[in-house]
Amino acid sequence: MPRFLITRVASGLGVLLLVCLFTYLVFFALSPDPAVQICGKNCTPEVIDQIRGNLGLDQPFWTQFFHFVVGIFAGRTYGEGVGAVECAAPCLGYSFQSSQAVWDMIIQRLPVSATIAVGAAVLWLLAGLAGGLLSAVKEGTFLDRFTTGLTLTSMSIPNYVLALVLQYVLVVKLQWLPFPQAVAFADDPGQWFANFVMPWIVLAVGYAAAYTRLTRANVLDVLRENYVRTAYAKGLAQPLVWRRHALRPALTPIVTIFGMDFAGLLGGALITETVFGINGVGKMAADSIARNDQPVIMGVTLLAGFLVVVGNIVVDVVYTAIDPRVRVNA
Amino acid sequence: MTSTPTDLTAAQAVAAGSGDTPEAPAAPAAGALRAGAGGTWQALRRDVGAMLGLGYIVLVTLVAIFAPVLTAISGWTPYEFDQTAIDPNLGGMPIGPWGGVSAEHWFGVEPGSGRDIFARIVYGARVSMSIALSATALTTVLGVSLGLVAGYFGGRVDLVISRVMDFLMAFPALIFMIAVLSALPAGNRSTLLVVVISVFGWPYLARIVRGQTMSLAQREFVEAARAAGASGTRIVFREILPNLRSTIIVMATLAVPGYVGTEAGLSFLGVGVVPPEPSWGQMIAASVKWYAVDPAYFVFPGVFLFLLVLSFTVLGDRLRAVVDAQEGR
């Protein structure tokens, strides 16, 4: 087990380093000179040179990249002498726009994004599992066909379109809900729910549909297995067969997929937060894209990569714990 | 199957390497081809959902192809500003109900600029379809060839290809695509979109092709071909590939809606197709500012986009059901 974990963590770090390298390379090679951007309107070549020197932009690619990676683990110092700026680890640089440390910007906005992500995940797990099980129990009935149709529709509606429709109907026309804002749970639980419920739904709908289909398919597959037939032959009643023999193997694959989906949620949060104007990490990324604020885009890309890598490792560990069949190889 | 333009891409990608299906030797042993394409089409034709989806796809394709003709009939190009259709006293709101729908502007006009929404929808269909279909074609070619090579030759080749696939699939693709596209110069965005989408898209098909190739490579007909002295390339493309045909067509059809959505999403976020060239995602993004006062502005592109994604999803889903049933699963 420890050795398996060590290899997984090592390969995860490798992936992260590559993500880092790719992103850095893209910005290094393709984007306009950041020093000119930071400098702004009243700019002289001397100032540009100075900024370049301070940020280390005058150095070759590999040196810059090395400093960037070391900065993440050990922190780094920009510039020299009196004007030097100490950037504590994990240092992701400073925003070109606001001059804030990227790490601080992310940490500030992470709770809001986490609220949206966790709420959506709860919603889609509940809806997906319930829908899938119901559909499987009633296989071939009207209810099953209705659920299947509903899932195909839900999978196809782009989340920003759904967001606009919901916001138009529920907020503008019916005025049941407020325009979503990040309200803290501690301040007012009722308002907290009313503000976050639309982002949750919008982010969850596509996943809920996919999980419904997956659950249904898995359950139906397992019910065709020989050991289920054996269980019935032993005289077990249907609820018992389901509980003891069918559900566990049918639902374990969902753990894997849930881990991956949850870890990759930042991409979806980007669109959801932008449409609703909620100031989380996703909206920050979208804004910095619009303003070409590279350090922030870099930081969010790395965060997304980190979450995916960690998610994968967690899934592997959890999977060996809940599925006895893979434990042998581990 | 190839009777409609939209099926062409997927089918061509397959036909390019496979030669004629009847050539597939030992067809009875191959099993997968038992029913053939004719049977699939017969079964699919009886499915209302699949046919409705196909109908809409054909419609959008025709609209995309004949966009210049349609805008000539409607009388407005997607780039013309019509100041008479908007009310400057109301901040540029379209004059008339439903976002300014009239005999003059069939789907109304954009608030603020007065550009004709029908024309922009029609030209936006070109962007949606061409990018999604090109990306599907490219991912199919990449995914199938790399999957075949990895699955058949195994060993070190397989190791390298599999590692690359693992890496790409563990990558935060959407965020990275956004980062790359935002850094790249605005030049030819459509081509860039296709390339970026394909780079991250091929492993999903390749993984399945690889698995099926590995099991097909053990079959008697492959052994027979090898005994007859056929080269590796010939076995892969002439013996194994034809047997993967239904898998590839199903996977390709199911990939299209994802790519339609990705293009629209990226354009929505402002890193896709560059204005003034119209795209549905970009129109929806522009409508966010106006949705409360002019809902028609997001309803038109929203409905067109939703129906296109839904059509491909339903078609792919039914196609898979039919193929699965034929293969006795």
Side-chain angles (χ1 to χ4, degrees):
Chain A
M1 186 71 178
R3 193 196 292 163
F4 148 80
L5 203 59
I6 290 166
T7 18
R8 291 295 287 118
V9 171
S11 80
L13 282 175
V15 170
L16 270 183
L17 199 65
L18 277 174
V19 171
C20 209
L21 179 63
F22 269 44
T23 326
Y24 209 85
L25 196 63
V26 165
F27 282 117
F28 183 85
L30 299 168
S31 65
D33 191 343
V36 179
Q37 275 191 298
I38 300 170
C39 199
K41 280 178 189 154
N42 308 316
C43 201
T44 58
E46 291 79 44
V47 181
I48 291 185
D49 278 347
Q50 199 197 340
I51 295 174
R52 249 182 225 151
N54 283 345
L55 291 177
L57 293 173
D58 48 357
Q59 282 158 353
F61 172 75
W62 288 107
T63 320
Q64 283 192 43
F65 180 65
F66 177 74
H67 283 310
F68 181 78
V69 174
V70 169
I72 295 174
F73 292 102
R76 65 189 286 195
T77 313
Y78 288 102
E80 282 161 9
V82 202
V85 178
E86 184 70 39
C87 175
C91 174
L92 293 169
Y94 290 91
S95 161
F96 290 166
Q97 294 293 328
S98 65
S99 307
Q100 272 183 296
V102 173
W103 178 253
D104 294 344
M105 291 171 75
I106 291 177
I107 290 297
Q108 258 173 28
R109 289 166 176 79
L110 211 51
V112 174
S113 296
T115 310
I116 297 179
V118 172
V122 170
L123 198 61
W124 93 57
L125 271 180
L126 287 178
L129 292 179
L133 287 174
L134 206 61
S135 217
V137 177
K138 305 274 180 195
E139 191 197 357
T141 61
F142 170 76
L143 187 74
D144 182 28
R145 282 199 300 277
F146 176 77
T147 316
T148 306
L150 192 66
T151 53
L152 286 175
T153 316
S154 320
M155 280 164 94
S156 306
I157 187 157
N159 45 12
Y160 39 92
V161 176
L162 180 64
L164 288 174
V165 172
L166 282 182
Q167 195 154 306
Y168 183 72
V169 175
L170 297 178
V171 179
V172 178
K173 281 285 146 184
L174 299 173
Q175 304 194 336
W176 286 355
L177 294 172
F179 283 101
Q181 276 177 330
V183 175
F185 179 76
D187 292 349
D188 185 348
Q191 277 300 308
W192 173 81
F193 185 81
N195 277 284
F196 277 113
V197 69
M198 275 196 301
W200 288 337
I201 293 175
V202 167
L203 195 52
V205 158
Y207 291 106
Y211 281 50
T212 305
R213 291 174 67 82
L214 193 70
T215 308
R216 178 182 181 276
N218 281 354
V219 169
L220 290 179
D221 267 357
V222 171
L223 288 179
R224 270 183 225 118
E225 294 278 347
N226 287 335
Y227 61 80
V228 171
R229 197 172 42 187
T230 310
Y232 276 122
K234 284 194 300 187
L236 290 187
Q238 196 191 21
L240 210 59
V241 173
W242 276 60
R243 246 195 349 256
R244 287 258 189 89
H245 299 279
L247 285 187
R248 182 158 162 169
L251 299 186
T252 32
I254 293 178
V255 174
T256 318
I257 295 176
F258 174 73
M260 311 269 223
D261 284 342
F262 188 74
L265 212 52
L266 205 52
L270 204 131
I271 288 176
T272 309
E273 288 175 11
T274 310
V275 181
F276 288 117
I278 293 183
N279 204 7
V281 177
K283 178 154 190 303
M284 180 180 79
D287 291 345
S288 42
I289 289 160
R291 301 190 195 118
N292 206 5
D293 196 345
Q294 296 161 26
V296 183
I297 306 176
M298 268 299 292
V300 176
T301 312
L302 275 181
L303 175 71
F306 176 76
L307 290 176
V308 171
V309 166
V310 170
N312 277 333
I313 295 174
V314 170
V315 161
D316 281 355
V317 172
V318 171
Y319 207 79
T320 44
I322 58 172
D323 192 340
R325 283 171 299 185
V326 288
R327 226 173 276 161
V328 192
N329 321 332
Chain B
M1 272 311 292
T2 54
S3 55
T4 62
T6 38
D7 283 333
L8 272 175
T9 333
Q12 270 171 357
V14 181
S18 71
D20 295 324
T21 343
E23 252 188 46
L33 287 174
R34 208 178 299 142
T40 312
W41 175 240
Q42 289 303 324
L44 209 57
R45 219 169 58 179
R46 281 193 294 273
D47 190 298
V48 182
M51 283 304 102
L52 282 176
L54 190 60
Y56 183 75
I57 294 165
V58 172
L59 176 77
V60 173
T61 312
L62 290 177
V63 162
I65 293 171
F66 295 110
V69 182
L70 288 170
T71 50
I73 297 170
S74 77
W76 292 94
T77 71
Y79 309 108
E80 269 174 284
F81 295 88
D82 183 6
Q83 298 297 344
T84 60
I86 51 173
D87 187 347
N89 298 323
L90 286 172
M93 273 288 288
I95 296 169
W98 300 98
V101 171
S102 62
E104 184 78 356
H105 297 287
W106 299 347
F107 288 176
V109 293
E110 278 185 355
S113 67
R115 288 185 295 197
D116 187 60
I117 291 183
F118 176 78
R120 294 186 71 75
I121 291 275
V122 161
Y123 273 85
R126 287 194 149 182
V127 173
S128 262
M129 285 305 251
S130 62
I131 290 183
L133 293 182
S134 321
T136 308
L138 191 56
T139 39
T140 306
V141 170
L142 279 174
V144 168
S145 39
L146 289 168
L148 277 172
V149 168
Y152 184 76
F153 294 103
R156 207 165 292 168
V157 184
D158 181 30
L159 192 75
V160 172
I161 295 178
S162 295
R163 273 293 121 77
V164 173
M165 292 199 298
D166 287 344
F167 173 64
L168 285 174
M169 287 196 288
F171 215 80
L174 183 65
I175 302 259
F176 189 76
M177 277 194 238
I178 293 165
V180 171
L181 287 167
S182 72
L184 289 167
N188 191 351
R189 270 287 168 77
S190 305
T191 317
L192 281 176
L193 277 169
V194 171
V195 170
V196 171
I197 292 174
S198 305
V199 163
F200 288 101
W202 68 266
Y204 297 89
L205 177 59
R207 192 171 51 167
I208 290 167
V209 170
R210 173 177 171 271
Q212 296 207 349
T213 307
M214 286 168 96
S215 77
L216 280 171
Q218 309 297 323
R219 300 277 282 270
E220 293 86 351
F221 69 93
V222 173
E223 205 177 313
R226 208 178 291 135
S231 67
T233 328
R234 194 191 150 84
I235 292 176
V236 166
F237 288 106
R238 286 290 168 98
E239 313 287 330
I240 294 179
L241 187 59
N243 288 293
L244 294 173
R245 205 179 56 154
S246 42
T247 306
I248 295 167
I249 292 176
V250 170
M251 289 295 293
T253 316
L254 282 173
V256 185
Y259 298 150
V260 172
T262 309
E263 182 277 316
L266 291 171
S267 296
F268 175 82
L269 288 168
V271 294
V273 180
V274 190
E277 193 181 0
S279 127
W280 295 348
Q282 187 199 92
M283 289 172 79
I284 298 168
S287 77
V288 170
K289 273 181 279 183
W290 296 90
Y291 81 93
V293 285
D294 185 10
Y297 189 19
F298 78 79
V299 166
F300 281 112
V303 165
F304 272 87
L305 176 62
F306 164 63
L307 286 180
L308 186 60
V309 176
L310 182 65
S311 299
F312 273 114
T313 310
V314 171
L315 183 65
D317 187 63
R318 297 299 146 86
L319 197 58
R320 177 164 60 186
V322 167
V323 168
D324 278 0
Q326 280 173 353
E327 289 178 7
R329 264 182 273 163

